[in-house]
Amino acid sequence: MTALTLSTSGAATLRADALVVGVAKGTGAKSGLVVAPGAEAVDKAFDGKLAAVLETLGASGAEGEVTKLPAPSGLKVPVVIAVGLGQVPAKDEAYDAEALRRAAGSAARALKGSKKAGFALPTESAEDAGAVAEGALLGAYAFTAYQGGEDKLAPKGAKSPAKLPLGEVALLGTKPRDKAFKASAERAVAVTEEINRARDLINTPPNDLYPESFAAVATAAGKEHGIKVQVLDEKALVKGGYGGLLGVGQGSTHGPRLVKLAYTHPKAEKTLALVGKGITYDSGGISLKPAGHNETMKCDMSGAAAVFAAVVAASRLGLQVNVTGWLALAENMPSGNATRPGDVLHMYSGKTVEVLNTDAEGRLVLADALTRASEEKPDAIVDVATLTGAMVLALGNRTFGVMANDDAFRTSIHEIAEEVGEASWPMPLPADLRKGMDSPTADIANMGERMGGGLVAGLFLKEFVGEGIAWAHLDIAGPAFHEGAPYGYTPKGGTGSAVRTLVRLAERTAAGDLG
């Protein structure tokens, strides 16, 4: 893991492999490249001409733009990296926290293979320092578990090349002895380490990550962080009547699991229940996915990974709120024992569901987990799932949808997500779409109208939430797994989408900000 330090060194005296500074696009009379606060010593080393040198090299200050140049003799580092922050803020306004995160992430990615780098970005407040720390630690992420092994065809002992991530992030211009700055840095480390743990799980191949092994990871983390973990295996699921989980998982040689993680605080007055879809591999089952749609389906457990990471983060931060996580884990495979279209499942709630499409499996495992979570009467439930391609069509690859049975709660989740830098959009649950799931055979079908499919899935889940409990559904199908080139602090592969939103929700609940 990349280390984080609040450095007492100045930009001119820091000894490191590189120094990161910010630049922005000026406006009005000050149009052109503007050197951001924090880079004063670096600009002085360039005789006040840092902006001019960078412009000569083609730098514009655009968000995420990275420009490398040799350091002058007045600095103790060999390289200066200027990263774009976008438009310079208006007078008396600070740089946007998300712009700082993305800039730090871009720089950290550019420093792959380096041992140490100083970040002299604008950090006038503890919140700014936390944003830079988050961006740098997330941007430095690399999934190398399956790289760098011994090459049998190479000379004995030779290793395959695998550049390690940046070793240490030193934040400059901060106040290392200030309680607020220290707390902000500690929070950034705890949250980003858990986001990166979620990313590791999402990126792990499905032959190594399946319900039982995922449950083992959760159990080990529970012991480490004082979280009570309960795992229901196949026998317990059969005994309890969890027909959704069993129906989805019965086609695989890897049986399903329902994992409960319970973090409790002795002074907590509120309880949050988080429910995550954990399909460790989704072939579509008998309703097999077409060619070209299977290759990334190891990511279909991203919701469970987010819930797991959020519960551990809440424990590490010692939040004064009870947080219970429910991981609904199954592998959806076709076999002679798999659920067929037309089968009827007897759910944990007592309802029956006619399965019209076995590739609409996430809602089935979530339904059982939502019912079980509701039995404990939490103050609110939030489920997270890579649930529908329809949500990707509606909102694209970078924005998740938010649905809820309470408008005020939906608004709060949306505002929290935007606050922490996760793009989201509130979506409705139109009552007229419910009729499409009427079944002549069972209480409800797992499919409804094709148009508005993401909303139909939300309406299905709503049926399994306990009466009087505020509930929100986050469909992260778009942003959970990034297939394009990395950008900002977002890597290729698993992203850890929704973890920051869930953690901030827990923090707000602990502070009594959600009523």
Side-chain angles (χ1 to χ4, degrees), residues 78-356:
V79 176
V80 170
I81 293 181
V83 61
L85 292 165
Q87 202 74 39
V88 68
K91 187 178 180 180
D92 298 328
E93 289 187 11
Y95 281 89
D96 178 69
E98 182 62 6
L100 293 175
R101 281 190 203 95
R102 291 177 180 172
S106 296
R109 287 192 296 103
L111 287 161
K112 190 176 182 181
S114 301
K115 291 183 179 179
K116 180 179 179 178
F119 282 68
L121 295 172
T123 53
E124 294 180 6
S125 69
E127 291 75 21
D128 289 343
V132 172
E134 281 185 11
L137 295 174
L138 292 175
Y141 172 81
F143 184 65
T144 60
Y146 292 80
Q147 298 174 353
E150 186 174 342
D151 186 346
K152 294 190 184 332
L153 298 179
K156 190 173 181 180
K159 298 287 184 179
S160 303
K163 267 192 177 182
L164 295 175
L166 172 62
E168 180 183 343
V169 171
L171 291 190
L172 308 183
T174 58
K175 302 172 184 177
R177 294 179 181 83
D178 185 279
K179 288 183 178 180
F181 276 83
K182 288 176 66 176
S184 189
E186 289 169 359
R187 180 191 183 279
V189 169
V191 174
T192 56
E193 283 185 356
E194 295 314 317
I195 291 172
N196 287 338
R197 191 207 296 259
R199 290 171 168 181
D200 281 348
L201 287 167
I202 297 164
N203 290 327
T204 299
N207 57 317
D208 283 344
L209 189 75
Y210 41 89
E212 184 179 3
S213 61
F214 195 154
V217 171
T219 299
K223 290 179 180 178
E224 180 182 356
H225 296 288
I227 299 168
K228 187 176 180 181
V229 180
Q230 179 186 11
V231 179
L232 299 186
D233 61 13
E234 289 166 278
K235 288 184 178 179
L237 293 173
V238 170
K239 185 177 180 180
Y242 292 86
L245 276 156
L246 291 164
V248 173
Q250 69 187 42
S252 174
T253 56
H254 297 297
R257 298 288 188 274
L258 179 62
V259 179
K260 176 187 177 183
L261 302 102
Y263 160 69
T264 57
H265 190 285
K267 295 182 179 179
E269 296 181 356
K270 298 282 187 179
T271 297
L272 279 177
L274 309 177
V275 178
K277 174 187 173 183
I279 304 299
T280 56
Y281 182 75
D282 182 20
S283 69
I286 297 298
S287 304
L288 193 67
K289 292 180 183 292
H293 290 73
N294 289 290
E295 290 76 8
T296 61
M297 281 299 103
K298 64 182 180 181
C299 80
D300 214 18
M301 37 59 68
S302 296
V307 165
F308 168 51
V311 175
V312 177
S315 177
R316 291 181 62 173
L317 296 172
L319 301 183
Q320 195 170 310
V321 58
N322 297 328
V323 184
T324 303
W326 300 88
L327 315 182
L329 308 177
E331 185 176 65
N332 188 25
M333 296 291 283
S335 75
N337 196 46
T339 292
R340 297 152 291 233
D343 283 356
V344 172
L345 302 180
H346 295 262
M347 309 295 283
Y348 179 72
S349 69
K351 287 186 172 74
T352 54
V353 176
E354 182 181 11
V355 178
L356 300 181

Side-chain angles (χ1 to χ4, degrees), residues 258 273-277 303-304 307 324-328 365-374 381-385 471-472 474 502:
L258 179 62
L274 309 177
V275 178
K277 174 187 173 183
V307 165
T324 303
W326 300 88
L327 315 182
V365 300
L366 286 172
D368 276 353
L370 285 168
T371 303
R372 180 64 187 87
S374 295
I381 299 176
V382 179
D383 76 72
V384 187
W471 157 79
L474 312 186
L502 296 179

Side-chain angles (χ1 to χ4, degrees), residues 202 299 302-303 385-386 397-398 476-482 493-497:
I202 297 164
C299 80
S302 296
T386 48
N397 291 315
R398 298 190 182 185
I476 61 170
F481 196 84
H482 180 56
T495 65
S497 176

